[in-house]
């Protein structure tokens, strides 16, 4: 294992050492995946269209369902401005991530990128953060699946058993070794969540809430307002997967097409869904929004969305397992051949990712709040703040050092502001999440572990 780690480190060391002189461009480094006709596994197979579908399947999932409740807290106008701004901002940071990946083809995940930025300590922090966030994402989808199954069964089975059943299904989805095996499921998943949203809007329109209150703007204190803001902020929290997805593209140069597709679809769909549900339900709209629909429609929408929750959960756990697997076996035959060691480690990693998410979902009463903390700590940086560091690093090392920053003042300012925005979201989001946990314990809203 030490040899595998050394080999992985050496590839990154070549790039880091060669880029210390800001006036010289580093030599071209090897791609993270080595393609050969003799390989049993071919990783670089994804088209940009299927990458976009996988992104939509993963991001436009739970995030969509919480947005109408944000309108109920701050009003239609501020919420829509925020959703659109974050969509544009997310597209900008996606561009910075894509450029960084194209400049450093050996980067497979945020941990690899962290090594280039700040050495082994930063790599371990960002790599571990990616795994934690992916496992929390898996847990979030598992809980959504359990909620959907509970609604469909009229709470006919203990929730803990439903979590176990759904977790087993998620594990099966996560097991394929390459993302092209999941790409068709990405199409299915994107269709499921889109159809579920359309059906929910139809249901809300046909069953408007009598006497509902609709507000253009609502005055709120900082805690309440930022709590509402976190919904749209973290509805775009999928950038942590960009490097992994781009690494398996046939043409990484097309990655921005996928980002445009993702951000364009997500922003438009988010706005339409949030407005329609809020207008017909009013300020009493629940989160997730499907719970505000009549019982029959709630079952229909949850039943359709169940497929998305399943596939998104599998994609999250696949991501956590893939990061560790590539870290162990990069450049070895276990990456590319059917070997007992390779398959054994892969299955164990997938099982551990889902198992940890399952245990946290049933054993940690405040797990839903911990998801918010993980999003605040990591998604704020992966989606926004780190993109600024990526641009500053490459501008310095590839464009001529400090003079490049002075020459490109506008881009430098945007990069710095992006870092500041990530830091603010991280600090404020963590504060809000911790306060929510404190309030939940104070009000007796926290349940017990391993209960139905």
């Amino acid at each position: 294992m030490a040899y595998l780690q050394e080999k992985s480190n050496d590839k990154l060391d070549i790039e880091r050492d060669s880029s210390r002189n800001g006036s010289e461009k580093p030599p071209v480094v090897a791609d993270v995946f080595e393609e050969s006709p003799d390989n049993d596994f071919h990783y670089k197979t994804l088209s940009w269209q299927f990458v976009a579908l996988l992104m939509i399947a993963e991001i436009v999932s739970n995030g969509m369902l919480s947005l109408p409740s944000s309108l109920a807290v701050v009003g239609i106008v501020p919420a829509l401005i925020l959703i659109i701004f974050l969509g544009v901002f997310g597209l900008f940071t996606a561009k910075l991530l894509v450029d960084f990946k194209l400049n450093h083809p050996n980067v497979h995940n945020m941990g690899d990128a962290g090594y280039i930025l700040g050495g082994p300590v930063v790599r371990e922090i960002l790599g571990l953060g990616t795994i934690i966030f992916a496992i929390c994402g898996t847990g979030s989808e598992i809980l959504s699946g359990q909620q959907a199954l509970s609604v469909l069964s009229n709470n006919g089975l203990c929730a803990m058993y439903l979590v176990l059943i759904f977790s087993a299904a998620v594990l099966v989805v996560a097991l394929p070794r390459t993302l092209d095996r999941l790409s068709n499921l990405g199409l299915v998943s994107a269709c499921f969540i889109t159809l579920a949203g359309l059906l929910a809007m139809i249901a809300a329109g046909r069953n408007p809430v009598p006497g509902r209150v609709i507000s253009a703007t609502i005055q709120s204190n900082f805690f309440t307002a930022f709590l509402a803001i976190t919904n749209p902020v973290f509805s775009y929290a999928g950038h942590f997967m960009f490097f992994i997805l781009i690494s398996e593209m046939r043409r990484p140069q097309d990655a921005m097409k996928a980002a445009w597709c993702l951000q364009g679809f997500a922003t438009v769909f988010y706005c339409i869904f949030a407005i329609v549900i809020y207008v017909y339900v009013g300020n009493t709209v629940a989160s997730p929004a499907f719970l505000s629909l009549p019982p029959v429609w709630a079952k229909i929408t949850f039943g359709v969305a169940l497929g998305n929750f399943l596939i998104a959960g599998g994609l999250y756990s696949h991501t956590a397992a893939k990061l560790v697997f590539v870290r162990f076996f990069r450049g070895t035959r276990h990456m590319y051949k059917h070997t007992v060691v390779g398959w054994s480690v892969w299955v164990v990693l997938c099982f551990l990712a889902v198992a940890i998410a399952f245990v946290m979902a049933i054993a940690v009463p405040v797990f839903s709040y911990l998801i918010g903390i993980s999003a605040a700590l990591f998604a704020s940086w992966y989606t926004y703040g780190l993109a600024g560091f990526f641009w500053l690093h490459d501008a310095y090392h590839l464009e001529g050092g400090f003079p490049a920053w002075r020459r490109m003042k506008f881009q430098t300012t945007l990069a710095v502001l992006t870092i500041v925005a990530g830091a603010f979201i991280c600090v404020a989001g963590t504060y809000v999440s911790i306060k929510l946990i404190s309030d939940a314990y104070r009000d007796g809203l926290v349940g017990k572990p391993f209960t139905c």
Side-chain angles (χ1 to χ4, degrees):
M1 194 66 70
Y3 164 76
L4 298 176
Q5 185 62 58
E6 253 179 61
K7 187 161 189 177
S8 173
N9 290 350
D10 288 346
K11 289 189 175 184
L12 291 171
D13 288 340
I14 291 172
E15 179 168 339
R16 186 168 176 80
D17 293 340
S18 64
S19 62
R20 293 190 186 279
N21 187 342
S23 62
E24 296 180 6
K25 293 188 177 182
V28 177
V29 292
D31 195 289
V32 61
F33 294 119
E34 302 166 1
E35 287 299 315
S36 169
D38 297 330
N39 290 349
D40 295 330
F41 295 100
H42 298 277
Y43 293 91
K44 299 183 73 64
T45 56
L46 293 177
S47 65
W48 70 263
Q49 292 92 341
F50 276 107
V51 169
L53 289 171
L54 288 171
M55 290 178 176
I56 290 171
E58 178 253 335
I59 296 174
V60 186
S61 183
N62 285 337
M64 177 189 78
L65 302 182
S66 61
L67 289 176
S69 62
S70 296
L71 274 66
V73 175
V74 298
I76 295 177
V77 176
L80 284 185
I81 291 174
L82 184 64
I83 292 171
I84 294 171
F85 169 76
L86 289 173
V88 175
F89 192 21
L91 184 63
F92 167 70
T93 55
K95 177 67 166 63
L96 300 185
L97 264 65
V98 169
D99 288 345
F100 189 81
K101 168 62 179 175
L102 295 179
N103 289 334
H104 310 275
N106 62 329
V107 168
H108 175 255
N109 53 69
M110 285 290 178
D112 291 345
Y115 188 83
I116 294 173
L117 289 182
V121 174
V122 178
R123 176 178 58 191
E124 301 305 332
I125 293 173
L126 296 186
L128 181 60
T130 301
I131 295 171
I132 292 173
F133 188 65
I135 291 176
C136 285
T138 303
S140 176
E141 298 294 346
I142 288 174
L143 288 180
S144 295
Q146 172 266 311
Q147 193 169 42
L149 291 173
S150 294
V151 171
L152 290 170
S153 64
N154 294 318
N155 296 310
L157 189 65
C158 173
M160 186 168 61
Y161 298 144
L162 294 177
V163 171
L164 178 61
I165 293 169
F166 197 76
S167 297
V170 167
L171 175 60
V172 173
V173 173
L175 283 175
R177 290 266 292 270
T178 57
L179 284 171
D180 68 306
R181 302 294 184 182
L182 296 176
S183 58
N184 290 327
L185 291 180
L187 172 61
V188 174
S189 181
C191 291
F192 275 148
I193 196 62
T194 303
L195 179 59
L198 293 174
L199 290 172
M201 290 187 281
I202 293 171
R206 294 188 61 179
N207 302 274
V209 175
R212 60 193 179 278
V213 177
I214 303 168
S215 304
T217 60
I218 300 174
Q219 289 187 344
S220 302
N221 57 37
F222 173 80
F223 174 77
T224 305
F226 195 85
L227 179 60
I229 288 171
T230 56
N231 290 332
V233 165
F234 300 135
S235 294
Y236 290 102
H239 288 47
F240 79 104
M241 291 183 63
F242 275 20
F243 290 147
I244 293 175
L245 289 169
I246 297 171
S247 294
E248 298 195 31
M249 289 182 67
R250 288 195 298 268
R251 281 183 46 82
Q253 299 85 350
D254 292 335
M256 271 311 297
K257 296 178 182 178
W260 272 100
C261 185
L262 163 68
Q263 297 298 131
F265 174 83
T267 302
V268 172
F269 195 64
Y270 283 167
C271 290
I272 295 174
F273 179 81
I275 290 176
V276 171
I277 297 297
Y278 177 68
V279 165
Y280 285 109
V281 177
N283 286 341
T284 59
V285 64
S287 178
F290 292 166
L291 294 178
S292 296
L293 305 176
V296 172
W297 282 102
K299 289 184 178 181
I300 293 172
T301 52
F302 268 121
V304 173
L306 188 63
N308 170 263
F309 301 151
L310 174 62
I311 296 168
L315 188 56
Y316 275 119
S317 49
H318 178 100
T319 299
K322 181 66 71 65
L323 188 153
V324 180
F325 188 82
V326 172
R327 181 76 177 271
F328 282 170
F329 295 125
R330 185 187 298 218
T332 71
R333 66 190 184 93
H334 301 297
M335 283 284 298
Y336 306 105
K337 296 291 184 179
H338 290 291
T339 65
V340 174
V341 172
W343 269 111
S344 299
V345 172
W346 174 253
V347 172
V348 169
L349 289 174
C350 289
F351 175 79
L352 286 175
V354 177
I356 293 172
F358 164 76
V359 171
M360 292 179 69
I362 64 172
V364 182
V366 293
F367 178 61
S368 59
Y369 300 109
L370 293 182
I371 294 172
I373 292 179
S374 71
L377 289 175
F378 301 116
S380 57
W381 290 108
Y382 297 151
T383 306
Y384 302 111
L386 281 176
F389 284 115
F390 293 153
W391 187 91
L392 290 175
H393 174 277
D394 280 3
Y396 180 85
H397 289 285
L398 304 181
E399 299 295 337
F402 289 112
W405 290 357
R406 291 194 294 268
R407 186 172 66 253
M408 297 181 284
K409 291 181 181 178
F410 179 70
Q411 294 95 319
T412 302
T413 302
L414 282 180
V416 172
L417 291 176
T418 299
I419 296 169
V420 172
F424 172 75
I425 295 171
C426 176
V427 174
T430 303
Y431 162 75
V432 167
S433 298
I434 292 175
K435 190 173 187 304
L436 276 176
I437 295 176
S438 174
D439 291 347
Y441 274 107
R442 183 196 62 199
D443 299 334
L445 301 177
V446 178
K448 296 181 180 180
F450 301 105
T451 59
C452 293

